Amino acid sequence: EAGVAQSPRYKIIEKRQSVAFWCNPISGHATLYWYQQILGQGPKLLIQFQNNGVVDDSQLPKDRFSAERLKGVDSTLKIQPAKLEDSAVYLCASSSLAVEQFFGPGTRLTVL
Amino acid sequence: DQQVKQNSPSLSVQEGRISILNCDYTNSMFDYFLWYKKYPAEGPTFLISISSIKDKNEDGRFTVFLNKSAKHLSLHIVPSQPGDSAVYFCAASARQNFVFGPGTRLSVLP
């Protein structure tokens, strides 16, 4: 069974630029999560999708972050414009009806 | 306001001995607790979980204990192996909404 795929693995941008991350969850997993993990901290939920509907986006900075999950499969997370404090690893995870989540390898974003 | 706390940033144990990682939470609505293991440059990997209706769950070398009255859980690894060296995250869930602790870095010394 293929795991959660994410791309790119690394991205370096300057502040005020835009960036987008892509996630392909495990086939058949209805729930998809985007997390932000800042160095030294645990993952923080940004947004949770159930199929292509948003379940929770209460911690998503909506003035600069956006996410979509078209057709209930792949998802993209966008930051526009980026700030220095957005430097972090962005993790995508998916789950089925079980509670356990399966994480992708993450995208490490550096904002200069 | 940290709902899930892991007060030990790091822990070192000798190979073959027991590793005990601790986690405290504040929200009594959490009904499921999980431990994840993370190696550098990889995403977290699910290790073991426990429902709030249980007080112990065991899977091979890994056992998780839950003390609801103290809002405390712990992960025991016996015996510890060098390959267990990683960052361990405790996570708590309410209605599939997950909150993670800051992690504990475990080093198992040969």
Side-chain angles (χ1 to χ4, degrees):
Chain A
E1 180 184 74
V4 176
Q6 288 187 249
S7 67
R9 291 296 311 275
Y10 305 91
K11 190 74 177 179
I12 301 174
I13 61 173
E14 295 191 348
K15 59 183 179 183
R16 291 188 289 274
Q17 285 187 321
S18 302
V19 65
F21 313 127
W22 174 82
C23 173
N24 182 246
I26 292 173
S27 177
H29 280 191
T31 309
L32 185 146
Y33 308 81
W34 282 103
Y35 289 88
Q36 179 193 60
Q37 186 180 11
I38 293 172
L39 188 64
Q41 299 180 19
K44 183 185 88 171
L45 179 69
L46 292 176
I47 189 167
Q48 176 184 345
F49 291 96
Q50 182 77 19
N51 296 308
N52 59 351
V54 175
V55 173
D56 183 357
D57 64 356
S58 57
Q59 297 191 90
L60 186 74
K62 298 180 187 64
D63 57 334
R64 299 184 300 107
F65 286 64
S66 64
E68 60 181 7
R69 188 182 185 197
L70 298 175
K71 300 180 182 177
V73 183
D74 292 10
S75 178
T76 56
L77 176 70
K78 297 179 182 177
I79 308 175
Q80 180 179 9
K83 292 185 175 181
L84 296 177
E85 58 261 36
D86 298 332
S87 294
V89 175
Y90 290 84
L91 294 162
C92 178
S94 69
S95 68
S96 59
L97 295 177
V99 180
E100 298 86 64
Q101 301 171 83
F102 295 85
F103 283 84
T107 297
R108 180 176 296 278
L109 174 67
T110 302
V111 182
L112 304 175
Chain B
D1 177 31
Q2 272 192 318
Q3 296 188 68
V4 178
K5 302 175 186 178
Q6 295 177 256
N7 293 321
S8 298
S10 62
L11 174 69
S12 293
V13 298
Q14 211 68 37
E15 180 179 4
R17 307 294 283 268
I18 184 171
S19 295
I20 300 176
L21 295 95
N22 294 303
C23 177
D24 297 289
Y25 62 96
T26 57
N27 189 343
S28 57
M29 296 300 291
F30 289 138
D31 56 6
Y32 215 83
F33 303 89
L34 308 93
W35 285 94
Y36 286 83
K37 173 178 169 180
K38 186 182 184 302
Y39 292 120
E42 295 183 13
T45 302
F46 168 75
L47 199 54
I48 192 168
S49 63
I50 187 167
S51 164
S52 60
I53 62 174
K54 296 187 176 182
D55 55 19
K56 177 182 174 181
N57 188 26
E58 191 172 352
D59 184 2
R61 296 185 298 114
F62 303 92
T63 303
V64 57
F65 295 92
L66 175 62
N67 182 334
K68 281 187 66 178
S69 61
K71 294 191 176 69
H72 176 84
L73 64 155
S74 61
L75 174 68
H76 292 211
I77 307 174
V78 183
S80 301
Q81 300 174 352
D84 296 329
S85 296
V87 177
Y88 288 78
F89 291 102
C90 170
S93 169
R95 297 189 310 276
Q96 280 206 317
N97 190 317
F98 294 85
V99 180
F100 283 77
T104 296
R105 180 176 301 277
L106 173 66
S107 299
V108 180
L109 309 173

